[in-house]
């Protein structure tokens, strides 16, 4: 056989072999049946529930002012009714407005005024989850109250509301579409005199804190609780759960990898995740810790359901980090555990636009029973405030629950609390142990 013929045969074999290999590569589908999905380092973990941003941001109280007499409500049904109304509105032409500094009390709390009080500052960028905006981009401001004026000067005119940063006395005027002041007055203001009477304490010049005059009807609750699974949080919070170590310690469990640590405390029944590998400081200028914090918990469906629920309580920012707290509620009232954070709240710290610290409860309430109890009246609260040497940093006063634990039973006991320098404290009464409330 001639060399040229041999060469042609070899080339033909090589070409056919190449075509066969190419076809196999194109059509090959590997069998992944042997892979265990639990071994994957990226997993979608759904621990409990997701929540919409609008479900977690609500007012703390509604106030109605009538010629020096004030009424109000902190009941969930009333707050929800207003939020339904707010959701229909569309705000536009928002601009700062002038008022008399000497007459701030009358401007905010005078006759014909309705106040919607939020527990903390809300950026208008976040308000878009609560109401509409006709302007393409709302101003870069934060407010903590909505003021609606039903007095004769503005009643029946073009719908206008005021967005207020109360402590700084900054007032913005906003025009509103889809708002009938007549209907709003009939639904809320004209029926408000049947609501509880509120009194106030002037804690600083032209700054007033309102709270119920009479003690509300309250009950002490007793709950059993379901424990959440620490392994679910390990899979959700660590980027590669397969390399995470688990150690039993005296008071709980510790999980760790080369950059993060998660501990679950047995005494407090809470989780504490910290990411010290996140060495950055501060966050970007447009970082919104309220929204990002909600998204973070939603990423692992970390909100527990009824009977407890969570609401935005407070947020702060500094050059180092942003912090946000979502507080646990039962019915109309918030729950507080003063010895440790993350037992009756979900707290987060963010640095470099990433989670740095995450502290939260590791339980959800189940069956319960309750018995009626008594707490001091608002008048007794006002007398107790006379013993304070300085009221200037007090931001709010209200009724809440103190969380206690006896073995496997959680107890929520009604108390009065006050907010000072963004921290909640129990108001202790010096007159008599019987005034403390509870059992």
């Amino acid at each position: 056989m001639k060399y040229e013929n041999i060469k042609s045969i070899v080339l033909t074999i090589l070409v056919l072999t190449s075509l066969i290999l190419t076809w196999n590569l194109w059509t090959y589908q590997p069998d992944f049946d042997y892979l265990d999905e639990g071994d994957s380092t990226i997993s979608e973990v759904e621990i409990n529930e997701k929540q919409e941003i609008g479900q977690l941001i609500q007012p703390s109280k509604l106030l109605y002012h009538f010629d020096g007499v004030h009424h109000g409500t902190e009941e969930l049904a009333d707050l929800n009714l207003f939020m339904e109304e707010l959701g229909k509105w569309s705000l536009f032409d928002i601009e700062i407005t002038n008022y008399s500094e000497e007459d701030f009390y009358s401007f905010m709390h005078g006759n014909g005024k309705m106040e919607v009080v939020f527990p903390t500052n809300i950026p208008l960028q976040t308000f878009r989850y609560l109401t509409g905006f006709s302007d393409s981009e709302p101003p870069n401001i934060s407010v903590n109250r909505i003021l609606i004026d039903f007095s004769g000067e503005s009643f029946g005119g073009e719908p206008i509301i005021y967005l207020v940063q109360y402590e700084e006395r900054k007032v913005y005027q906003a025009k509103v579409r889809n708002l009938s002041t007549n209907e709003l007055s009939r639904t809320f203001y004209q029926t408000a005199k049947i609501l509880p009477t509120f009194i106030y304490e002037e804690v600083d010049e032209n700054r007033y804190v309102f709270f119920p005059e009479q003690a509300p009807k309250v009950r002490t609750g007793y709950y059993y609780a379901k424990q959440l699974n620490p392994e679910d949080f390990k899979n959700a919070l660590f980027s590669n759960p397969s390399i995470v170590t688990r150690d039993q310690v005296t008071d709980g469990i510790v999980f760790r990898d080369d950059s993060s640590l998660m501990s679950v405390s047995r005494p407090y029944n809470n989780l504490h995740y910290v990411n010290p590998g996140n060495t950055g400081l501060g966050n970007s200028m447009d970082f919104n810790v309220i929204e990002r914090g909600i998204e973070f918990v939603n990423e692992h469906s970390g909100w527990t359901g009824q009977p407890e629920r969570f609401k935005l309580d407070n947020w702060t920012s500094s050059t180092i980090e942003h912090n946000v707290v979502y507080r646990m509620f039962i019915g109309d009232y918030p729950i507080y555990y003063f010895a440790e954070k993350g037992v009756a709240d979900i707290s987060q710290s963010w640095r470099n636009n990433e989670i740095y610290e995450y502290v939260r409860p590791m339980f959800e309430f189940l069956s319960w029973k309750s018995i009626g109890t008594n707490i001091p009246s608002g008048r007794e609260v006002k007398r107790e405030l006379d013993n304070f040497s300085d009221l200037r940093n007090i931001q709010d006063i209200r009724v809440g629950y103190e969380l206690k634990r006896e073995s496997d039973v959680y107890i929520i006991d009604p108390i009065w609390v006050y907010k000072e320098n963004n921290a909640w404290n129990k108001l202790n009464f010096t007159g008599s142990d019987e005034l403390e409330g509870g059992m």
Side-chain angles (χ1 to χ4, degrees):
M1 184 178 293
K2 293 183 179 180
Y3 174 78
E4 288 77 7
N5 293 337
I6 296 173
K7 182 178 178 181
S8 296
I9 293 172
V10 171
L11 286 173
T12 300
I13 294 172
L14 291 173
V15 169
L16 291 173
T17 303
S18 176
L19 290 172
I20 292 169
L21 290 173
T22 300
W23 173 258
N24 287 337
L25 285 172
W26 284 350
T27 59
Y28 175 62
Q29 293 184 346
D31 183 5
F32 288 109
D33 291 343
Y34 69 90
L35 290 178
D36 182 357
E37 291 182 1
D39 293 336
S40 174
T41 59
I42 300 175
S43 57
E44 181 71 24
V45 179
E46 293 189 0
I47 296 170
N48 210 304
E49 295 182 2
K50 290 180 169 65
Q51 293 285 335
E52 299 291 333
I53 292 176
Q55 295 175 282
L56 293 156
I57 301 176
Q58 274 195 328
S60 54
K61 64 189 74 175
L62 305 177
L63 299 173
Y64 305 89
H65 306 293
F66 302 87
D67 285 326
V69 178
H70 314 279
H71 295 266
T73 179
E74 297 169 327
E75 292 189 7
L76 179 62
D78 297 325
L79 303 179
N80 284 339
L81 183 63
F82 175 78
M83 294 301 288
E84 289 179 13
E85 180 66 28
L86 179 64
K88 303 173 186 176
W89 299 354
S90 182
L91 280 57
F92 66 103
D93 286 355
I94 301 170
E95 58 185 12
I96 197 161
T97 188
N98 296 318
Y99 62 92
S100 171
E101 280 279 350
E102 295 77 19
D103 206 21
F104 188 67
Y105 173 87
S106 296
F107 177 80
M108 291 295 303
H109 315 304
N111 183 52
K113 305 296 176 65
M114 173 183 174
E115 282 183 79
V116 183
V117 183
F118 287 87
T120 187
N121 290 329
I122 311 295
L124 285 198
Q125 292 289 339
T126 304
F127 249 100
R128 72 187 190 274
Y129 293 98
L130 311 180
T131 192
F133 288 90
S134 299
D135 297 337
S136 57
E137 191 72 21
N140 185 25
I141 59 173
S142 294
V143 298
N144 53 25
R145 301 197 183 195
I146 298 174
L147 178 68
I148 304 162
D149 186 359
F150 296 112
S151 65
E153 289 80 6
S154 60
F155 192 80
E158 185 177 29
I160 290 175
I161 65 169
Y162 298 96
L163 306 172
V164 183
Q165 208 299 326
Y166 188 70
E167 289 73 22
E168 298 178 7
R169 301 183 197 173
K170 291 183 179 179
V171 180
Y172 303 86
Q173 176 181 290
K175 297 177 182 178
V176 188
R177 293 191 177 97
N178 304 324
L179 165 61
S180 166
T181 51
N182 286 305
E183 290 184 13
L184 194 69
S185 177
R186 283 194 297 269
T187 303
F188 292 94
Y189 189 77
Q190 293 177 26
T191 61
K193 287 186 178 180
I194 66 173
L195 296 173
T197 303
F198 273 53
I199 56 178
Y200 64 83
E201 183 74 23
E202 186 174 5
V203 296
D204 202 357
E205 183 180 1
N206 269 335
R207 191 165 65 82
Y208 306 85
V209 174
F210 288 81
F211 47 92
E213 180 178 24
Q214 302 299 323
K217 294 180 180 180
V218 289
R219 303 179 70 84
T220 296
Y222 300 82
Y223 289 84
Y224 288 106
K226 173 186 175 183
Q227 305 304 305
L228 304 181
N229 187 351
E231 290 290 328
D232 290 337
F233 286 92
K234 179 198 77 173
N235 293 331
L237 299 178
F238 290 90
S239 59
N240 189 350
S242 64
I243 66 170
V244 173
T245 61
R246 171 177 172 148
D247 298 306
Q248 293 286 147
V249 294
T250 304
D251 60 352
I253 310 169
V254 174
F255 299 84
R256 58 167 59 89
D257 64 8
D258 55 357
S259 64
S260 305
L261 182 143
M262 185 183 84
S263 60
V264 178
S265 168
R266 188 176 296 110
Y268 295 117
N269 204 3
N270 69 340
L271 175 149
H272 190 169
Y273 170 85
V274 63
N275 180 19
N278 178 3
T279 57
L281 297 179
N283 296 281
S284 61
M285 292 291 291
D286 60 348
F287 185 75
N288 187 316
V289 72
I290 298 173
E291 296 179 25
R292 186 63 190 97
I294 294 171
E295 291 168 0
F296 173 77
V297 179
N298 278 341
E299 286 167 3
H300 50 273
S301 301
W303 306 103
T304 53
Q306 295 293 338
E308 78 274 7
R309 58 194 173 83
F310 289 88
K311 289 169 58 174
L312 175 67
D313 183 66
N314 191 54
W315 70 277
T316 59
S317 64
S318 69
T319 56
I320 297 175
E321 62 188 13
H322 284 64
N323 300 285
V324 65
V325 177
Y326 308 95
R327 183 157 303 283
M328 185 185 289
F329 275 67
I330 290 282
D332 299 328
Y333 300 112
I335 303 176
Y336 302 89
Y337 188 85
F338 299 106
E340 173 82 0
K341 69 179 180 180
V343 179
D345 60 80
I346 293 177
S347 298
Q348 301 172 13
S349 297
W350 291 78
R351 299 180 181 180
N352 198 29
N353 289 24
E354 295 180 0
I355 191 71
Y356 176 76
E357 185 181 41
Y358 176 41
V359 191
R360 60 159 299 136
M362 284 297 287
F363 61 90
E364 58 180 335
F365 291 130
L366 295 175
S367 59
W368 69 291
K369 66 177 182 177
S370 67
I371 57 174
T373 189
N374 297 311
I375 60 171
S377 70
R379 287 291 176 188
E380 291 164 312
V381 169
K382 193 169 176 62
R383 283 194 290 270
E384 192 62 41
L385 294 174
D386 292 338
N387 298 322
F388 282 57
S389 60
D390 190 352
L391 299 173
R392 288 175 296 177
N393 294 317
I394 292 182
Q395 300 158 283
D396 197 7
I397 299 169
R398 66 165 303 156
V399 172
Y401 291 116
E402 181 176 16
L403 181 64
K404 304 173 183 177
R405 185 181 179 188
E406 293 182 4
S407 186
D408 293 330
V409 177
Y410 287 87
I411 303 169
I412 54 171
D413 216 8
I415 58 170
W416 283 93
V417 293
Y418 64 96
K419 187 178 183 181
E420 185 175 30
N421 290 323
N422 291 320
W424 287 99
N425 306 278
K426 181 180 179 179
L427 182 60
N428 296 305
F429 292 83
T430 56
S432 169
D433 290 341
E434 294 179 0
L435 293 177
E436 292 293 335
M439 298 303 296

